[in-house]
Each structure stands twice: as structure tokens, then as C-alpha cells.
Amino acid sequence: MLQALRITEVAEITAGVLSGKPHEVLLSQIAIDSRQIINPAHTLFVALKGAKADGKTFIPSLIELGVRNFIVHSDFEIADFSTSDSCFIIVSDTREALQKLAAFQRSLFKNPVVSITGSNGKTIVKEWLGQVLSQKYHVAKSPKSYNSQVGVPLSIFGIQEEHQVAILEAGISKSGEMAALQRMIQPNLGIFTNIGSAHQEGFPDQESKILEKLALFQNANFVIYSKNQAELAEIIEREIDAEKLIAWSDQVGVDFTRSVKILEKGAKILLLKSDLSTFTFQVPFTDPASLENITHVIVASMTLGQSSDSIQQGLDHLKSVDMRLTLKPGVNDSLLIDDTYNNDLAGLKVALDFMQQQRPKRRKILILSDLLQQGSPAKLYAEVADLIKNHQLDLIFGVGEDIFKLEQLFQGKFKGFESSEALLDNLDPDQFSNDLILITGARPFGFERIVNKLQQRIHGTTLEINLNALTHNYNFYKRLIRPEIKVMVMVKAFAYGGGSVEIANHLQTMGADYLAVAFTDEGVTLRKHGITLPIMVLNPVEESIDLCHAFQLEPVVFSPEFFKMVSSYCKTHACKLSIHLDLDTGMHRLGFEHHQLDELIALIQQEKRMRIASVYTHLVGADEEIHKDFSLQQLESFNEMRKSLIPHVSKETLFHALNSAGIVAFPDYQFDMVRLGIGLYGVEVTGRFGSSLKSISTLKTTISQIKELQPGETVGYSRKGMLPNGGKIATLSLGYADGYDRRFSNGNGFVLIQGKKAPIIGNVCMDMCMVDVSGFSDIKAGEEAIIYGEGIPLQELADRIGTIPYELLTNISTRVKRVYYLD
Ligand SMILES: *Cc1c(COP(=O)(O)O)cnc(C)c1O
């Protein structure tokens, strides 16, 4: 942070009311997450209300930790803490207060602030520009994609006095959000990357989306954009004074005319300025998107006065940005967090926080290289030490020179190595077991070798799950419901194939209210892995009530007989159980029917021990317009039964009816909670908001062998596959036992290799299948094939074999390794 503040100053900046006895402590840290407290006495905690849990619930434990300064919302009961000698600043909106503090800190920074907006490429442009500028300058930049209403303030608090330029990303998803980002960021130089169709739902049309984003640059001195995008350019030129504009294009008549020559490896970019001076740069890639991104970076670097030589030096070291923070299965049941791209303090913070959110393991271990960051090493490593202390690591492996500064601070816990090679030589995978290991290092240290050594051999097929996409989809549905409505997330069937434990853990950190599983043992697995959210069991059996009791799982009760059975269980065991009532309004699967209502009420009236946590019904055709009348009839019938039940149940009993499709189609029937399923996993079954969701998973496998086929030879069982003129096939290590449906046989399915379609040839075998790669000139065993994910939508695959995405997702065998990442 640029300037530490007294609590009285904070009150002034946020226009809040101070309660408690003010003191002179200088607050140098601002936290919004109770897990991120490094220096409690000097921390200001801002209790945000959001999709996540309400921040104020953490205040008692924070006081215990030693935090004394808080910004709270006006509904906070300060009286309860009057003896804690804490200071509270009361504001009407804590998020706004956080933003005001950010705007204040920003106003103290006198060096250039670059800000980036647009639909795609923001994070990449930010990272690359950071890499190129740091050839010459000391650069502050937003960590990962911290570009939101809360991410931007956190990025701003990361700016320090010694920084010479700050690069901040700005992302919005609905109209009205940019004004707040603009007030905080106040960019001097703006980059508008491009415009696409993402997040269209929050905006009436394309033009209003562009205008909203453009609001970020209203006070900027310069705005960089590409005239290759005609609609975007037209609006920018209309809205912003000509002397502020810096345009580049592949056509002449702009500030920088670009021509690109594709080389064997990479490309050459030639820029012709309007004063006829020319500059050439060599870049390591050839795809249009990367070339667009890098052109923005070059033009911005030139605008900031960097010489073309120094830009080229930066480009020479450019690495394609893989910023994914990946969770991988490690040796001996350990869990690895792979962050081998990271190279600065802000990134280390993010990675440590991610580590904190994981399920508890035996030990927390950090493998860390020198941070290649300009500035004073003493100060930098003091901060690293604070972070490590705060995260209570059990063991630290340090690689490099400067990192040895940590040695005296962590005696007995620190092992230092001069090089990655030295560490690799001494790293015995069997020293780890059931540990959580964060591996984070700057690029030159090549830490991917360490990950390789410590990860469980993953061969063949993997399902990669993007946790950020999951968050995105969750928030998409959150926006469709009223703020007070609770969310139950369906993690039945191994979380629709995604892997229930990690997904449940992620949902828990996101603040979901409830989970639901199909069977009791699925719930037991979650409990055994540290999931503490309430869990509803859809399909319990009599024998499993014991387990429900032992693991605090909440069974669904769907008939008078089952009600009586669970009730008598509670009596004989003198225990209390929470249960849920399923009302059948038309599914005809399980549940109480309308004519059983009086019987149900009589049962409830006699019941003392069971707590009725919720009452629900399930829609049979919410995704299909033709069933709309039937759905409404179901919802009305449920509402009627609900009214009859209300006098007999507690005020806390939740009523709920809507599944993913229902949330979209019937907003008037949210009752107290909704049940989110397939939508979270990236499939919008009503088809109305298809493009608003992100695909969360990618199923990948590898090529085991390439074979040449002569005319007339056949492929696979029953000789079904034939290439009449001969050709080339690739054998993939994926079969129906992995969940790759046999109906994809004989050209019904295809995979993507090198971005191109390769159709299935012959019958899918149990553990393998073959694809036709006759048109591929350069293809080798070991290469990757994508079965579905970005580029192969699940809906399309499902349609090809006459099924639904649900079936494809849940069929993926548990033998397929799941890998989780944040991008
Ligand atoms: C599976 C399930 C859901 C979720 O349905 P989606 O269509 O996946 O959103 C909701 N409620 C019940 C009772 C379910 O069984």
C-alpha cells in the first residue's frame, strides 16, 4: 500500500461513522478475507457482503486473532463487541468503502497507470506488457485476473512506492459497473483489446457494451485500439477526442500500420509509424489472437517511451502465459498446487490463499524459488516471511540465492538449495505422504520438473476442471435470483462427473448454502474430506439412516412410511435429525402426493425430534417451452401445499422448487432456495443464455500410436472401420470403460487434434478407440486429443448420439484422473 492510514483517516475517506475509541496505530494492510490476515494489529478488515459468506460473521474470530479495526455495514450489532476495544467504521455499503480507499491510494500514485479492458486477452496483455516493461521499469500489476469490483481495489493496494508503472485490468459483466472501476483506476493510458460476445446478457446491445467499457478511459491521456475491429473503432473515434487516440491496423492511415510475416517459428511484426519510421519485432507465435495481443503490448510499450531494442529484449523472453494454478494428484495421496509460472509477490499471495482453501492435509509444504522482482530484496523477503508465517507452513524448500534470507527465520523448517537441479537430486518423493504441496517458482527455475517428479503419474485420459469457470457459472445463476435466496448445489453423481470432493470444497469457499447428493455414501465421502456445509441426501435407504446420523447428513423423506421409520430411529437413538420433505407435483418418482397432505401434517404435528429443514418439489420439464403450462401447474400446486404446511413447520424451514432450467424460466417461484445442477457445470439447458456460461471441463487423452492403413484393411472389432483408399489412423487411450460412449463409433463422434476434427473410425473398444487422421501431415504418438471442452460443446456431442449432456458428463469413469485449475 502506498500510505498507511490511521483509523480516523479511514473514517474520513470512507465518509463512515467511527465507533469505539480511536487510536494512533497505522493501518498498512487491508483485508477482506479472514484467512488473509498477516499482521493483525495493523490490518483493517472490511466486512463485505457478497455471493460469499457475509464478512461480518468472521469478526469475532478476527478479534481473537488480534484485529482491532473494521469497516462494517450499518446492520452490524456493534454493542456485542463494546468490550473488545475495537474500532468500527459504519458505512452504508462496505464495498463502496473499500473502493473509496482504493481510489485514495490510487490518487497518491504519480507514475503512469495503464488499464486494460475489452472482451478477450485482457489478462494476457497485462502479463505480457508487464514482462516487456519490466525490462526497464519496476512494474506493479494486478495478480491473475483480479479485475472485478473487489479485485481492482486489491490490485491497487498492491502498488508500492518503488513502482514506476502500474498495470491494472478492468473487467465488467453488466452495465453500470465500469463507473466504479474508473473512479478507482483513473488510467493514464488505456488499451481496448477487442470486443466479442461474452457477457452479452448484461447489456441491451453491442454498442452499449462498448460504451460502458469505454467509460474507463474518459479521463485517460491516451487510448490504444485496433482499427481492424471496425465497429469498435467507429465508436471509440466518435466518443474520444482524436488527439488522445492511438490506432493500429493492418490497413494504412493509422498511427501504426502493421504487417505480419509468418516465419518457420513465430512471426515478424513490422510497424510503420505515421512519420514513416519503421520498427520490426520478432515474436514466438503465429496465431491471430496472440499477434493481436502482442501488437497492443508493443504499441503501449512504445507509447510509454520504451526503446524498440528493449521491447525486443522483453519479447525474446516472452512466455506464453499459462497462469493456471492447478491442483494435481501427487505421490502418496498428496495434493500438488502447480504454480510454476509465478514470479512475484502478488502471485505468491494468490497461490497461498488458494492453498489455504484446500482441504486439510497432514502438512502444508511450500517449494519456492527466488522471486525475480525488482526492488529491495530485504523488504521483499520480509514480506514473503510474513506471508509464510501467516499461512502456517510446516516445511519450506527454497531454491536460489536471495531465498536463503528466510533460513534463520524458519529454522528447522527451511531447506535451501542453490539450484533446481540440487533440489531435484535431493527430492525423494516418498518423503511426502498425504501432504499439501505448493510449488511456485519463477520461469527460469523450471519448476515443472519438480511437479513432474512429485505428481502421480497421470497417463492417458484426464478431465481438467476449471474452477474459475465454475465460479463464473455459479455467479451467473446468483445474479438471476434475489440476493436473499439460498443456493443448494447438486453434487450428486460425483458432481455431474466433475469430482465431488474438490467441487464441493470450492463451493464451500464460494459460500454456497447447501449441497445435495444422491446416496448416503456420497455424503459420507464429502464429510470424510472435510466438507462442512449441510448436505441433503436425495435417496436414502433405511439401512443408511445410521450413517446419516453419524455424519450429519440430512435424508429426504418421501412417504409416510419412511417418515415413521426415521422418526422411530430418532426415538430409539434419542437423537435429532434434520430431514427434507419431497412433494410430488407431477414427476411421479418419489414424494408425498397432494392427497397425502393431511396425513403428512398429522405426522409433523406429532413429531418432536426431527427438524424439517426444507420442503421441495422437482419440475419435470422446466427446460422445455412446450411444458411451460405443466411446470406452472406444478409450481402452483407446490405453492398451495406450501401454504397448508407453513403453519405446521418452523420459520426456518426452507421451501424450494427450481432446478437450473427453472431458475432461468420461472423467476417468480424462487421461494427460499433454488437447486443448481447442470448449469453450474456449464450447460444451459433452456438454450436462452447458452453463451453466458463457461465450459468447466475438458476431457483429454493422448495418442498411443499412429498407423498407416493400406486400401482394404479394416480397423477394430467386427472390422467396421474402413478407409477405402488407405490412410492414417491414431489410436487413443480412451474407450467405453472410461465413459466414451460406444454410440460414437464409426464416424458418429470426433475428437480435436491440433485443433482439427478427427472422426472416430471403427467401433469404440473398451479402453481404446481409433480416429482417422489421414489429413494430418505432422502427427506423433504422445500428442493430445480433446474429446470435449472448448470447441466441442457437450450439447453437440449429446445430440449426435441422441442423448443429453447430463449422461455424457456423469458417464466419465472415476478411473479418469481429475485435475483442477484456476486460470
Ligand atoms: C438433479 C436434481 C436437480 C438439479 O437439476 P438440474 O437440471 O441439473 O439443474 C434439482 N433437484 C433435484 C431433486 C434433482 O434430483
Side-chain angles (χ1 to χ4, degrees), residues 63 68 78-86 88:
I63 290 182
R68 289 291 174 269
I78 292 174
D80 301 352
F81 298 94
S82 51
T83 55
S84 67
D85 76 351
S86 299
F88 294 93

Side-chain angles (χ1 to χ4, degrees), residues 477 488-492 496 516-518 536 538 556 582 587 589 616-619 622-623 656-663 674-681 683 685 806:
Y477 284 95
M488 171 183 273
V489 182
M490 312 311 279
V491 293
K492 59 191 178 185
Y496 289 50
V517 295
M536 173 171 103
L538 286 162
V556 165
D582 183 357
M587 176 67 115
R589 191 165 70 173
Y616 73 92
T617 194
H618 194 31
L619 299 177
D623 54 331
H656 46 114
L658 301 180
N659 59 359
S660 309
I663 298 173
V674 296
R675 298 189 306 276
L676 179 57
I678 190 89
L680 180 72
Y681 307 100
V683 185
V685 279
Y806 297 79

Side-chain angles (χ1 to χ4, degrees), residues 763-798:
N763 282 327
V764 172
C765 312
M766 186 186 288
D767 309 306
M768 288 178 250
C769 64
M770 283 66 85
V771 292
D772 179 3
V773 289
S774 301
F776 291 65
S777 53
D778 182 22
I779 187 167
K780 297 181 292 299
E783 266 183 69
E784 183 176 270
I786 302 209
I787 317 305
Y788 74 71
E790 213 80 71
I792 313 192
L794 273 173
Q795 188 68 55
E796 181 186 338
L797 283 189

Side-chain angles (χ1 to χ4, degrees), residues 581-641:
L581 300 176
D582 183 357
L583 305 186
D584 185 355
T585 55
M587 176 67 115
H588 298 124
R589 191 165 70 173
L590 294 174
F592 293 91
E593 293 179 31
H594 193 268
H595 66 87
Q596 295 173 305
L597 200 56
D598 291 337
E599 193 182 353
L600 175 60
I601 291 174
L603 285 169
I604 294 175
Q605 281 171 335
Q606 292 158 22
E607 183 53 49
K608 302 259 174 327
R609 297 187 171 275
M610 297 198 296
R611 184 181 77 95
I612 304 193
S614 87
V615 181
Y616 73 92
T617 194
H618 194 31
L619 299 177
V620 302
D623 54 331
E624 290 170 296
E625 189 64 25
I626 49 163
H627 298 309
K628 184 170 175 198
D629 289 342
F630 189 81
S631 300
L632 285 169
Q633 200 178 312
Q634 277 193 286
L635 290 163
E636 276 310 324
S637 157
F638 176 67
N639 199 13
E640 200 182 299
M641 293 205 256

Side-chain angles (χ1 to χ4, degrees), residues 603-804:
L603 285 169
I604 294 175
Q605 281 171 335
Q606 292 158 22
E607 183 53 49
K608 302 259 174 327
R609 297 187 171 275
M610 297 198 296
R611 184 181 77 95
I612 304 193
S614 87
V615 181
Y616 73 92
T617 194
H618 194 31
L619 299 177
V620 302
D623 54 331
E624 290 170 296
E625 189 64 25
I626 49 163
H627 298 309
K628 184 170 175 198
D629 289 342
F630 189 81
S631 300
L632 285 169
Q633 200 178 312
Q634 277 193 286
L635 290 163
E636 276 310 324
S637 157
F638 176 67
N639 199 13
E640 200 182 299
M641 293 205 256
R642 168 178 163 265
K643 285 178 186 154
S644 314
L645 284 168
I646 283 180
H648 307 287
V649 296
S650 118
K651 278 205 182 57
E652 271 86 62
T653 301
L654 303 168
F655 287 83
H656 46 114
L658 301 180
N659 59 359
S660 309
I663 298 173
V664 171
F666 303 105
D668 294 338
Y669 295 89
Q670 298 168 2
F671 300 108
D672 307 309
M673 181 155 79
V674 296
R675 298 189 306 276
L676 179 57
I678 190 89
L680 180 72
Y681 307 100
V683 185
E684 208 287 275
V685 279
T686 72
R688 291 199 216 166
F689 292 117
S691 60
S692 304
L693 295 184
K694 290 193 175 162
S695 133
I696 72 149
S697 50
T698 308
L699 183 63
K700 285 182 175 172
T701 190
T702 46
I703 299 176
S704 312
Q705 195 177 19
I706 304 285
K707 282 181 182 292
E708 300 287 341
L709 236 60
Q710 298 306 314
E713 287 181 325
T714 65
V715 181
Y717 286 120
S718 310
R719 307 197 61 200
K720 288 288 190 208
M722 191 108 59
L723 292 173
N725 305 317
K728 192 156 56 173
I729 60 162
T731 304
L732 309 180
S733 51
L734 169 86
Y736 57 78
D738 298 295
Y740 192 60
D741 202 294
R742 201 162 169 278
R743 287 172 284 181
F744 286 125
S745 296
N746 303 308
N748 285 332
F750 65 91
V751 303
L752 285 186
I753 298 173
Q754 301 173 354
K756 280 192 295 189
K757 287 186 182 180
I760 304 291
I761 178 165
N763 282 327
V764 172
C765 312
M766 186 186 288
D767 309 306
M768 288 178 250
C769 64
M770 283 66 85
V771 292
D772 179 3
V773 289
S774 301
F776 291 65
S777 53
D778 182 22
I779 187 167
K780 297 181 292 299
E783 266 183 69
E784 183 176 270
I786 302 209
I787 317 305
Y788 74 71
E790 213 80 71
I792 313 192
L794 273 173
Q795 188 68 55
E796 181 186 338
L797 283 189
D799 289 346
R800 279 172 167 255
I801 58 168
T803 185
I804 50 176

